[in-house]
Amino acid sequence: GAVVSQHPSWVICKSGTSVKIECRSLDFQATTMFWYRQFPKQSLMLMATSNEGSKATYEQGVEKDKFLINHASLTLSTLTVTSAHPEDSSFYICSASLAGSGNTIYFGEGSWLTVV
Amino acid sequence: GDSVTQMEGPVTLSEEAFLTINCTYTATGYPSLFWYVQYPGEGLQLLLKATKADDKGSNKGFEATYRKETTSFHLEKGSVQVSDSAVYFCALSEAAGNKLTFGGGTRVLVKP
């Protein structure tokens, strides 16, 4: 079946550095992907909508210069956390929609980011 | 705007007990409704969904019926197992393939 894969699953980085998280649709093309953030024991909050070939659409309160999203191909979206700080430590998860399957939304495995 | 409200956890049950997790929503249109499950240390998995009023989604013994009149989508399972221990999220989407609005999640712990 359709699979969305994220990489890396776990990443630890130092404060002030940048880290990139990849989201790939393995069996299908996804013109739109979504990036969510989940703090411990909280729900998922949508950060941005990633559109292939165009700029991402960010939710209110999300800093677009800090969370850079690039959707360069129909199977890959990347989220780069720039100048990371400990408060950016969180679980980041992406999703993609498979057209023709009732537009079922599939999630990646998620990426745990710890900034030290 | 859209919102989803689900009962707070944690919910602690014994094996073979009946599980209900309440979920209500507010939306401007006619959303699709979903239940996602998140097992410890993992991402989200779609558990079931319903796309229109009176539809019943079912999977792995779980069921939920789209009730437009009460704007609800309660999740039920007749006999839970230890392996059902997870966090359950109710969610809605206003448009096909569109972004999801999640409830706060309900942690379920099933004890042997």
Side-chain angles (χ1 to χ4, degrees), chain A residues 90-110:
Chain A
S90 186
F91 185 65
Y92 294 88
I93 191 166
C94 69
S95 71
S97 175
L98 173 58
S101 69
N103 283 306
T104 299
I105 300 167
Y106 295 91
F107 281 85
E109 309 95 325

Side-chain angles (χ1 to χ4, degrees), chain A residues 79-99:
Chain A
L79 168 67
T80 301
V81 183
T82 63
S83 187
H85 289 94
E87 57 265 31
D88 298 325
S89 299
S90 186
F91 185 65
Y92 294 88
I93 191 166
C94 69
S95 71
S97 175
L98 173 58

Side-chain angles (χ1 to χ4, degrees), chain B residues 12-18 79-81 109-112:
Chain B
T12 303
L13 304 166
S14 296
E15 215 166 14
E16 299 184 3
F18 185 88
S79 177
V80 293
Q81 305 299 314
L109 177 60
V110 181
K111 296 185 175 180

Side-chain angles (χ1 to χ4, degrees), chain B residues 96-112:
Chain B
N98 209 332
K99 58 185 180 182
L100 289 164
T101 300
F102 285 89
T106 302
R107 185 175 300 275
V108 173
L109 177 60
V110 181
K111 296 185 175 180

